Amino acid sequence: MTSTVSRTDLYAEVQQFYARQMQLLDGGAFEAYAETFTEDGEFRHTPGRDPARTRAGISAELHDFHRRFDGDPVQRRHWFGMIDLEPQDDGSVRSAVYALVITTRPGGKPDVAPSCVVHDVLVRVDGELLTRSRRVEHDQLV
């Protein structure tokens, strides 16, 4: 059984990891975001789209996905909360997170959608926390 102190440390570490990861994504630093995945990582983020695999594939998928916002002065923010962590016997950590995407345009009111649950498998590579796989489930499809 994991001690309370070590679980608290893990929770704080994962929360910081997600904060950095989402700020990279929201800032359009797609290559840096992809680096937060393992080299063979998998990222399934949008219904109807095949999962992206490998860091290069994740970066390419994000560039392609975000082309829809070309010429649109939109700011998107991914908000993660209610993080539930399950350390696994192999050292990985299963994470389930509630996520909201907040979209704002100049002079407009924020639009909150979609609402999702993010399922991650987090691993350590050379002491660094990375995402091995991410599956995003959109609430409006459940």
Side-chain angles (χ1 to χ4, degrees):
M1 175 122 196
T2 308
S3 74
T4 302
V5 172
S6 61
R7 282 192 62 87
T8 301
D9 290 346
L10 176 63
Y11 187 88
E13 180 184 17
V14 170
Q15 193 170 35
Q16 176 59 43
F17 172 76
Y18 283 148
R20 183 174 70 82
Q21 192 181 52
M22 292 304 100
Q23 288 183 22
L24 291 169
L25 179 62
D26 293 341
F30 303 138
E31 288 78 14
Y33 173 84
E35 290 292 319
T36 68
F37 283 74
T38 59
E39 185 57 47
D40 63 346
E42 180 176 288
F43 179 43
R44 179 183 297 270
H45 67 100
T46 299
R49 290 178 81 103
D50 290 334
R53 293 182 175 88
T54 76
R55 289 175 176 163
I58 291 168
S59 177
E61 166 64 17
L62 289 170
H63 280 287
D64 182 56
F65 179 84
H66 284 86
R67 281 192 184 92
R68 71 183 69 203
F69 302 114
D70 286 352
D72 182 356
V74 65
Q75 179 60 61
R76 299 177 81 229
R77 303 277 189 219
H78 291 73
W79 193 267
F80 275 23
M82 304 304 290
I83 302 167
D84 182 31
L85 303 176
E86 294 182 32
Q88 303 297 297
D89 290 340
D90 66 359
S92 67
V93 177
R94 292 196 178 275
S95 173
V97 180
Y98 289 176
L100 297 173
V101 180
I102 303 164
T103 303
T104 308
R105 290 178 173 81
K109 293 183 179 182
D111 179 37
V112 180
S115 170
C116 309
V117 179
V118 177
H119 299 276
D120 283 350
V121 176
L122 305 173
V123 296
R124 290 193 190 283
V125 176
D126 298 327
E128 182 180 4
L129 201 59
L130 297 172
T131 306
R132 179 189 308 152
S133 67
R134 171 164 293 161
R135 178 175 44 89
V136 181
E137 293 179 350
H138 292 241
D139 291 339
Q140 73 271 18
L141 301 176
V142 176

